[in-house]
Amino acid sequence: MYRNFSIVPNIMFGRGSFNQLTDVIGPRKTGQDSFFVYILDDVFKGGTLEGRLPLQGRDLLLPVNVDDEPKTSYIDALVQRIRDYSPHLPVGVIGIGGGSAMDIAKAVSLLLTNPGSAADYQGWDLIKNPSVYHVAVPTLAGTGAEISRTAILTGPVKKLGINSDHTLFHQIILDPELLAGVPKEQWFYTGMDCYIHDVESLQGTYINAFSQAYGEKSLDLCRQVFLEEHPDKDDKLMMASYFGGMSIAYSQVGACHALSYGLSYVLGIHHGIGCCIAFDYLDEFYPQGVDEFRQMMARHGITLPRGLTVGMENDALELMVTTALNLVPLWENCLGPEWREKMSRERCLELYRRM
Ligand code: NAD
Ligand code: ZN
């Protein structure tokens, strides 16, 4: 069965395009009571980007903290704050930040129109009602969250996205100038998320011409960004992220992402760095990709944390294995339909023990 998948319908790209935010969203305001909710990564609190937000009238600014990756309880609390603020729905939710802030904006816009807790919707196509109009302005590039149909959340029992067509942003504004202040390590880890999306998509058994077209271009852009010097590297990375996201949308990620979910669920390790940690042990799966990744690390002077699982309780290690192996499509993409014969619990545990 072929999937008939939706994509983000409106995209603006270019340096300074953030200045056109008002032109894009302004006409949606209908009256004095109507308001936008700005979900802003709190790293920008009190800085120039906050000062550039076109807040007017009843608009509500919600700075969000992403020291921990987004939790369902956090989404529920934010939705409650918006409901307490006004009996009306906002006309739009604008998410400004990296993958975390963008996923928060997606989930909030969904939960404003769907009853219950965000945890009720972790899964595939559980959302019934269309979301509030929502817009992304990425300030970090690599996750592809700007174009994906998922909002990844950690809930009481699992880390899993709210996957639905309604999750997709209605509008994205890709302004490479906003990447300027990203700390080097974070730039690298989130950029490598994109590189790993490409490798896992292109090397996977689900590969097809659609995903290959996007994945190859994204990989080419990642090589330019991380192995060469280009004055417009931020522009290139932003497009690599978009294309990498488009590639996995019609294929899948693989072993590295499965293992990084275990690291993240049990140890709270963030997505980008978690993918880097896992990828460094996956020579058997992706020999060329891992080799090139190490060249990129060396070129940018990145050293990864090691010995993360040393001294860990067996139960915690087993939970990590279970979390990783539950991601069936990822393993199937990586190793084919008979993946269970190749990736036993013991082999998975052994990989974690080495990290
Ligand atoms: P992030 O959003 O978690 O941010 C990482 C750090 O960078 C934070 O401290 C943040 O405050 C800071 N930051 C962001 N922009 C900055 C800027 N311009 N200048 C300085 N600091 C900045 O990082 P990420 O790697 O973009 O996103 C990871 C999150 O995205 C995880 O929660 C992961 O689960 C999710 N994710 C989602 C998808 C998806 O398709 N929805 C895909 C991959 C990952
Ligand atoms: Zn990823």
Side-chain angles (χ1 to χ4, degrees):
M1 274 284 276
Y2 294 105
R3 284 188 304 121
N4 185 14
F5 86 109
S6 303
I7 56 173
V8 172
N10 287 85
I11 301 166
M12 187 181 276
F13 173 86
R15 295 189 159 255
S17 56
F18 179 65
N19 295 328
Q20 280 174 249
L21 180 60
T22 318
D23 303 344
V24 172
I25 63 173
R28 291 186 172 265
K29 281 228 178 152
T30 46
Q32 296 240 310
D33 281 343
S34 68
F35 66 104
F36 286 106
V37 174
Y38 286 85
I39 291 191
L40 177 72
D41 186 322
D42 69 3
V43 75
F44 300 112
K45 193 86 194 78
T48 34
L49 188 60
E50 185 188 342
R52 291 174 64 198
L53 296 180
L55 289 166
Q56 288 167 348
R58 294 267 300 150
D59 289 348
L60 176 64
L61 173 61
L62 287 182
V64 290
N65 185 271
V66 300
D67 290 347
D68 291 329
E69 292 192 343
K71 293 195 169 61
T72 53
S73 54
Y74 194 39
I75 302 303
D76 296 346
L78 289 167
V79 169
Q80 193 54 50
R81 274 185 65 185
I82 298 167
R83 293 209 172 110
D84 292 345
Y85 179 75
S86 171
H88 309 292
L89 284 175
V91 282
V93 173
I94 324 297
I96 304 157
S100 297
M102 287 191 273
D103 279 358
I104 292 172
K106 287 175 175 176
V108 164
S109 69
L110 288 164
L111 267 292
L112 282 166
T113 53
N114 287 275
S117 162
D120 302 337
Y121 300 99
Q122 285 181 282
W124 282 268
D125 302 306
L126 302 173
I127 290 283
K128 295 285 175 294
N129 305 319
S131 72
V132 166
Y133 171 81
H134 52 301
V135 178
V137 182
T139 65
L140 254 178
T143 62
E146 63 277 18
I147 61 102
S148 76
R149 74 193 286 282
T150 186
I152 301 178
L153 301 175
T154 304
V157 288
K158 58 194 168 198
K159 179 176 175 183
L160 186 61
I162 302 182
N163 297 269
S164 81
D165 282 348
H166 299 302
T167 310
L168 285 163
F169 285 107
H170 296 94
Q171 169 82 53
I172 58 179
I173 296 188
L174 306 177
D175 183 346
E177 281 180 359
L178 301 182
L179 305 187
V182 182
K184 170 104 178 260
E185 273 80 17
Q186 188 63 57
W187 167 80
F188 186 83
Y189 297 144
T190 304
M192 284 304 107
D193 187 20
C194 175
Y195 176 76
I196 296 167
H197 290 163
D198 301 335
V199 172
E200 295 198 302
S201 174
L202 291 168
Q203 303 284 301
T205 60
Y206 289 5
I207 194 62
N208 54 74
F210 182 101
S211 290
Q212 191 175 4
Y214 282 108
E216 283 176 350
K217 187 63 208 175
S218 179
L219 193 67
D220 168 42
L221 289 166
C222 284
R223 287 178 177 143
Q224 293 183 46
V225 171
F226 293 102
L227 292 173
E228 299 171 11
E229 278 305 322
H230 293 276
D232 57 347
K233 65 177 174 16
D234 289 342
D235 307 52
K236 289 180 188 293
L237 188 55
M238 222 157 212
M239 285 321 296
S241 175
Y242 176 94
F243 273 51
M246 286 297 285
S247 181
I248 53 176
Y250 220 58
S251 60
Q252 192 40 279
V253 285
C256 179
H257 272 72
L259 293 166
S260 90
Y261 267 60
L263 290 173
S264 162
Y265 189 64
V266 177
L267 294 172
I269 293 173
H270 285 216
H271 185 82
I273 187 170
C275 286
C276 288
I277 292 166
F279 201 55
D280 202 23
Y281 293 93
L282 295 181
D283 315 62
E284 300 160 58
F285 299 78
Y286 309 110
Q288 283 166 340
V290 173
D291 186 55
E292 195 168 57
F293 163 75
R294 291 188 184 134
Q295 289 173 39
M296 292 173 176
M297 278 210 297
R299 186 178 164 92
H300 295 285
I302 302 288
T303 43
L304 292 171
R306 309 233 177 235
L308 294 163
T309 58
V310 174
M312 257 177 83
E313 301 277 337
N314 260 350
D315 284 0
L317 273 167
E318 290 294 339
L319 179 58
M320 244 158 45
V321 172
T322 304
T323 307
L325 294 185
N326 276 346
L327 294 159
V328 171
L330 281 64
W331 292 107
E332 200 175 78
N333 178 44
C334 179
L335 297 170
E338 312 303 324
W339 67 272
R340 281 191 178 83
E341 289 164 21
K342 297 177 188 151
M343 183 43 73
S344 60
R345 285 191 73 86
E346 292 68 35
R347 188 176 179 200
C348 187
L349 187 64
E350 188 46 40
L351 281 166
Y352 275 132
R353 280 198 203 284
R354 291 170 60 201
M355 293 179 195

